[in-house]
Amino acid sequence: MKYLEKDLKNFYILWSTQSVSQLGSAMTAFALTLWLYEKTGSALSTAALTICTYAPYVLMSIFAGAISDKFDKKKTMLTCDSFAALCTVIVFVLYKTKLLSVWHLYAVNALSGLMNTVQQPASEVAYTLITPKRFYQKTSGLQSLSRSIISIGNPLLASALYGLAGLDLVIAVDLLSFAIAFVALAFFVRLEKFFSKANAKENVLKLAKEGLRFLKENPIPLHIILFMSGVNLIASAFNATLPAEIIPRAGNAVLGLVTSCSGIAMAVGSLIATVMPKPKNRVRVIFLSMLFSLGTENFLLAFSRSPIVWCAAQILGWIFVPVMGANQNVIMRNVIPVDLQGRVYACRNTLQFFTIPIGLALGGFMVDKVCEPFMSANSSNRILSLLFGSGKGSGAAFMMFILGLAGTSYCLVSWANLKKYKYSESDEDKGEDKIEEAKDL
């Protein structure tokens, strides 16, 4: 069957409106991080905010994916999005009544993360089913592009709105964006027929085991997932470290600017992923992208005290991340049968992302309890001061150096295992018939 651009109508509606909603949610998350850092001044406490989001996501993903495979994707997404919006309303009410405290944010983030655990695999399958196979790389690039724009816009917009009117305005924008996405999904995106009736009859535990079994029997997606779990460990430790280096040295506004540069880089990288030809070996592209990312950004941030260099480091560190993501996405969509995708994506979420809360906790702990005290105790050491600076923030810079060494070493060691796996255009052709069959279920 020959597909035309008009066949992407459902994708464009879902992608654009969900992206608007994600921007609103990201703005609220960034504003809450600023609020929390103002209250505590601790890298570990702000990292814990994200940990509370990811903990249920990691612990429950396998079962949540099985649940998503049992039910209609549209209803699942609408329910989960509504609950996430309710969590935002709860934060707003607590804030306006001056009752908002740190533990409230942790609890609300945990509940919101639990809903995202179910929503994410459902949306992944929905995107697969409404996208013709020939557009997989293009739509993966567009999804990366929207994430990039969110990365660019959310820290700048959140910082501006937070400075102008506090959390009130940020949360109002978030809820408006949710309403737009909810109406579009409920009334303008057709997904009703896109679920497996066979899956609806199975129990959750059996479906979860099938997802794990599929990965065990298919080494290409499994080893890519395991490689990315190590990358996520280092990257999440980086995310916990970055505010602790920049805020004490340059303030919230510069942190927003530097963070936005990663989004600019991802926007450019997403365009590259959208238009680039099919690579001969997608696995090699994934590895090289991560080696370049981890081997440049951390070292530049470690040794520099200049916001210009910080911005350049973010650009170099993030420009090829969308290329990596698009190639991984194409492999996953083609290798995994559609009626298995919900539970397999959920298994991926557990295996690939369980290191994120660990990395956040490790990064925050290392900065607060190890690196900052170490640099403070050795403030008279001229070599350390020359390399990493002095005062608060120098310990975070030292941590960046450690992460640079860890990331480069990890990628080089991992390549010995990854290089034996190849993925070609002929492999992509194998999944097309399975996708068409699944749409008829």
Side-chain angles (χ1 to χ4, degrees):
M1 177 179 179
K2 184 178 180 180
Y3 295 111
L4 302 175
E5 287 284 343
K6 66 181 181 181
D7 294 306
L8 289 177
K9 178 183 177 181
N10 272 329
F11 169 81
Y12 285 133
I13 295 173
L14 183 63
W15 166 67
S16 59
T17 55
Q18 288 291 312
S19 296
V20 169
S21 180
Q22 290 163 10
L23 174 60
S25 299
M27 288 170 57
T28 297
F30 191 87
L32 289 175
T33 300
L34 296 179
W35 182 87
L36 186 58
Y37 195 84
E38 289 176 357
K39 295 290 183 183
T40 65
S42 169
L44 185 57
S45 66
T46 53
L49 192 62
T50 308
I51 292 172
C52 289
T53 302
Y54 270 100
Y57 189 76
V58 169
L59 294 174
M60 299 302 296
S61 272
I62 292 178
F63 303 104
I67 291 172
S68 74
D69 274 343
K70 288 174 65 67
F71 301 107
D72 178 87
K73 301 299 179 288
K74 175 184 283 191
K75 293 179 180 178
T76 300
M77 294 170 68
L78 290 172
T79 301
C80 293
D81 287 345
S82 298
F83 191 89
L86 177 61
C87 290
T88 302
V89 171
I90 292 173
V91 170
F92 178 73
V93 171
L94 290 171
Y95 175 71
K96 293 300 293 181
T97 56
K98 301 187 184 302
L99 296 175
L100 185 63
S101 61
V102 174
W103 77 266
H104 289 138
L105 295 183
Y106 293 158
V108 169
N109 271 31
L111 290 173
S112 180
L114 185 62
M115 288 297 100
N116 189 45
T117 302
V118 180
Q119 194 267 1
Q120 196 274 338
S123 64
E124 290 281 5
V125 178
Y127 277 121
T128 298
L129 289 167
I130 63 176
T131 305
K133 174 182 173 291
R134 62 174 291 195
F135 294 121
Y136 278 178
Q137 184 164 314
K138 175 180 179 177
T139 55
S140 295
L142 289 173
Q143 287 177 269
S144 294
L145 178 62
S146 63
R147 288 191 291 268
S148 305
I149 294 173
I150 291 169
S151 297
I152 297 169
N154 96 79
L156 294 177
L157 291 172
S159 297
L161 296 179
Y162 182 77
L164 180 65
L167 284 176
D168 302 62
L169 188 54
V170 178
I171 291 177
V173 171
D174 184 7
L175 293 176
L176 176 62
S177 69
F178 155 75
I180 293 171
F182 186 92
V183 171
L185 177 57
F187 300 106
F188 298 101
V189 178
R190 300 186 61 184
L191 285 174
E192 288 84 357
K193 296 181 180 179
F194 295 158
F195 72 101
S196 172
K197 295 179 181 178
N199 287 339
K201 300 177 182 179
E202 299 288 352
N203 67 71
V204 171
L205 185 60
K206 181 179 178 181
L207 292 175
K209 288 181 179 179
E210 289 177 357
L212 290 171
R213 186 183 304 115
F214 178 88
L215 286 177
K216 184 178 179 180
E217 295 172 354
N218 291 269
I220 291 179
L222 177 60
H223 282 84
I224 292 173
I225 288 169
L226 295 178
F227 169 66
M228 289 306 302
S229 71
V231 170
N232 285 335
L233 177 68
I234 297 166
S236 56
F238 168 89
N239 289 336
T241 304
L242 186 65
E245 178 178 2
I246 294 178
I247 291 177
R249 292 176 164 180
N252 291 341
V254 173
L255 175 62
L257 176 63
V258 172
T259 304
S260 295
C261 285
S262 65
I264 294 172
M266 289 183 67
V268 175
S270 298
L271 293 175
I272 295 172
T274 302
V275 302
M276 69 182 292
K278 291 182 180 179
K280 294 181 179 179
N281 187 343
R282 293 190 185 275
V283 177
R284 182 182 292 118
V285 171
I286 291 171
F287 161 75
L288 291 176
S289 298
M290 292 300 93
L291 176 61
F292 182 83
S293 176
L294 297 177
T296 56
E297 181 178 19
N298 293 299
F299 290 120
L300 287 173
L301 283 164
F303 299 133
S304 174
R305 268 78 75 191
S306 167
I308 295 176
V309 177
W310 294 340
C311 290
Q314 284 281 82
I315 291 172
L316 291 175
W318 290 91
I319 192 168
F320 291 120
V321 170
V323 175
M324 175 281 300
N327 280 277
Q328 182 184 10
N329 201 9
V330 171
I331 291 174
M332 296 286 286
R333 284 183 172 182
N334 281 290
V335 171
I336 306 168
V338 176
D339 60 339
L340 279 173
Q341 280 191 10
R343 70 207 82 158
V344 176
Y345 272 118
C347 292
R348 178 206 63 179
N349 293 345
T350 294
L351 295 174
Q352 184 169 318
F353 301 139
F354 85 94
T355 53
I356 291 179
I358 297 173
L360 289 167
L362 180 62
F365 174 81
M366 286 292 293
V367 171
D368 286 352
K369 305 299 183 182
V370 179
C371 295
E372 289 290 352
F374 173 79
M375 290 299 296
S376 179
N378 292 274
S379 58
S380 59
N381 187 306
R382 296 182 63 183
I383 296 177
L384 289 176
S385 297
L386 179 65
L387 291 175
F388 307 114
S390 59
K392 191 170 178 63
S394 60
F398 181 50
M399 182 62 184
M400 287 293 185
F401 173 69
I402 295 173
L403 292 174
L405 291 177
T408 304
S409 301
Y410 173 73
C411 285
L412 292 175
V413 171
S414 298
W415 179 238
N417 185 50
L418 282 174
K419 66 181 180 181
K420 60 186 176 183
Y421 297 108
K422 296 183 178 180
Y423 185 83
S424 64
E425 184 174 348
S426 61
D427 295 310
E428 296 181 5
D429 295 332
K430 297 176 182 178
E432 186 169 13
D433 292 337
K434 297 177 181 178
I435 294 170
E436 293 303 316
E437 291 171 3
K439 290 183 179 180
D440 296 329
L441 290 174

